[in-house]
Amino acid sequence: MPGLGNLWRASAAETYTAQPLRGERMVDLAIIGAGFTGLSAALHAAGQGADVAVLEAETVGEGGSGRNVGLVNAGLWLPPDDVCKILGPGPGEHLNAVLAEAPSLVFDLIAQHGIACEATRNGTLHLAHAPKAMADLQSRHAQLAARGAPVRLIDMNSTAQRTGTDRFYGALHDARAGTIQPLSYARGLARAAHDAGALICEQTPVTAAEHRSGQWIITTPGGKLRARHLLIATNAYHRPVTHVSRPDVPIVEYFQLATAPIGDNLAGDILAGGEGCWDTGLVMTSVRRDGAGRVILGGMGGDVTVHANWARRKLTQLFPRLSGVEIQHAWAGRIAMTHDHLPRIQRMGPGALAIFGYSGRGIGPGTVFGRAAALALLSGDHSGLPVPVVESHAEQFVTLKSLYYETGARLVHAVADRG
């Protein structure tokens, strides 16, 4: 199983390649990181007529955007009431409202730019992994319904019919959400941004960024950018940049495995409605299918070798008829997890912002945060940003927390594997 590779790279219908930055250029907006956030920012800034350049150290979607589960969710892990408790009622409800519309922006962009990313908007299922977990889903349902969200609770029998397994005790269905092929979506955003006039540069790591004489001087191995504004959109894949200090954030790793394509005779009842799923477990598990009929199982943890036995066992527990089915792909990615699970927008200097900490919700939030940040930087008006800008951010015990998450996942999976 280890070393089988990332399904999204093997199956992406969208292709996109770009050359490294060479020479010097002046732009209105420089963006570091070609993931959902940076590419959405580039697309929307270019759409406003701005001169934009995106600098990516590897390739488009190389980071979390190309390793994502592919669930286009509305909102965060946190229930909306908790968001308001942390941010306050006004800013909290603003963030809730922005993220409630995030799936619509994603699917609208897909339709507008003809992005071939297996877009399916049939909702998602938040699954109760234990009987007591239904109380959490009931609370979330009440909070979301009070805000007008099209959500409904599903009992255990109906959940079994929708998922094809009787291992869950109910579910919360959110009709706003859906699934995509995440790497294809990222590449499609890059193509659309390029078509709108943005310069996309791959294999272009940024070594230094310094504000001098009213502009940002951004240095790469092959050239320099001079920019009026700067957006750092590297999230969990940030690399050190001289003169710019973005705070470290605890990292959670998440792995996935995918079966071979499975026909309806064997797996036709597994998520037949096309929903994507994740459960309420503290060490979360996700399940979905792709356009070719593969079953894709995900779980917390970064070492695919270590977690492989649990993953294979879990897949068989959920769907006994898949025992012995070939596993064709296995891969992992990193998640930037803030202590309160809320994203941050931090001021990095004059006309510069950094966005980080989606805590596992990269597609919808990344798309809307990127758009909002680009428009705020170009206009100078930050009032429409999803969260207030902070001047600094600090996380305690970053390395220990990252180790804690991985160790916890290993222990839970080891116990489950012996069970």
Side-chain angles (χ1 to χ4, degrees):
M1 184 182 300
L4 295 180
N6 185 336
L7 167 64
W8 306 135
R9 289 200 168 274
S11 66
E14 288 279 347
T15 59
Y16 185 85
T17 58
Q19 296 299 310
L21 178 67
R22 300 293 183 212
E24 294 194 17
R25 178 166 176 166
M26 180 71 189
V27 296
D28 297 312
L29 174 63
I31 300 167
I32 305 176
F36 302 134
T37 303
L39 295 168
S40 176
L43 173 59
H44 288 95
Q48 294 287 311
D51 195 0
V52 185
V54 180
L55 307 179
E56 166 57 47
E58 300 291 341
T59 59
V60 166
E62 171 65 23
S65 298
R67 304 164 191 263
N68 197 283
V69 176
L71 304 185
V72 187
N73 285 304
L76 302 167
W77 272 8
L78 291 175
D81 283 2
D82 287 2
V83 173
C84 291
K85 288 177 184 177
I86 296 169
L87 292 178
E93 290 299 2
H94 174 64
L95 178 58
N96 286 331
V98 168
L99 294 181
E101 296 301 318
S104 291
L105 176 60
V106 171
F107 288 106
D108 286 349
L109 290 174
I110 290 168
Q112 179 182 351
H113 298 288
I115 301 175
C117 61
E118 301 179 14
T120 304
R121 197 175 187 183
N122 290 346
T124 52
L125 295 168
H126 194 177
L127 303 167
H129 78 292
K132 291 183 179 179
M134 280 304 296
D136 175 53
L137 295 186
Q138 289 166 353
S139 175
R140 288 174 182 268
H141 174 268
Q143 293 176 40
L144 291 166
R147 292 167 170 85
V151 292
R152 61 191 181 95
L153 289 168
I154 300 173
D155 64 22
M156 185 174 181
N157 289 335
S158 296
T159 299
Q161 292 175 2
R162 296 178 80 108
T163 60
T165 176
D166 61 3
R167 290 281 177 159
F168 298 104
Y169 296 86
L172 177 63
H173 180 263
D174 189 337
R176 299 170 296 180
T179 62
I180 59 173
Q181 210 277 21
L183 181 57
S184 279
Y185 175 57
R187 289 177 176 174
L189 288 177
R191 170 176 56 78
H194 175 269
D195 291 346
L199 173 68
I200 313 291
C201 300
E202 295 184 318
Q203 304 299 331
T204 304
V206 173
T207 56
E210 186 175 10
H211 194 264
R212 298 198 308 262
S213 302
Q215 62 184 349
W216 285 92
I217 311 300
I218 300 156
T219 305
T220 77
K224 287 186 178 181
L225 283 181
R226 299 178 183 274
R228 293 173 52 228
H229 305 290
L230 172 65
L231 175 63
I232 300 174
T234 48
N235 202 27
Y237 288 78
H238 184 70
R239 300 182 180 190
V241 176
T242 301
H243 305 304
V244 172
S245 180
R246 203 212 73 173
D248 290 332
V249 179
I251 296 298
V252 177
E253 297 198 76
Y254 199 87
F255 76 94
Q256 297 178 77
L257 60 80
T259 68
I262 303 172
D264 287 346
N265 59 330
L266 181 61
D269 64 336
I270 297 176
L271 297 172
E275 302 97 340
C277 310
W278 77 102
D279 70 13
T280 52
L282 183 61
V283 178
M284 187 188 77
T285 302
S286 61
V287 184
R288 60 161 297 187
R289 297 188 73 180
D290 72 349
R294 299 176 182 90
V295 177
I296 305 165
L297 176 78
M300 292 178 67
D303 192 325
V304 177
T305 303
V306 169
H307 298 285
N309 288 337
W310 169 83
R312 194 67 174 90
R313 182 182 178 89
K314 180 73 172 182
L315 187 69
T316 303
Q317 286 176 341
L318 292 174
F319 311 109
R321 55 204 177 280
L322 300 188
S323 177
V325 166
E326 179 187 4
I327 303 300
Q328 290 190 338
H329 298 275
W331 70 101
R334 302 201 295 264
I335 296 169
M337 183 80 73
T338 59
H339 68 275
D340 57 10
H341 307 306
L342 287 178
R344 294 296 192 279
I345 301 178
Q346 180 174 332
R347 195 185 318 277
M348 305 303 293
L353 298 173
I355 304 176
F356 54 90
Y358 294 126
S359 298
R361 290 292 180 91
I363 299 175
T367 304
V368 296
F369 271 62
R371 177 182 66 176
L375 300 182
L377 285 168
L378 293 174
S379 69
D381 180 4
H382 292 183
S383 62
L385 288 169
V387 295
V389 174
V390 298
E391 299 299 327
S392 64
H393 178 77
E395 295 276 343
Q396 295 184 330
F397 312 115
V398 170
T399 302
L400 286 176
K401 285 180 179 179
S402 299
L403 181 61
Y404 169 80
Y405 291 135
E406 175 64 22
T407 301
R410 292 188 183 204
L411 288 172
V412 168
H413 291 166
V415 170
D417 195 49
R418 288 197 299 268

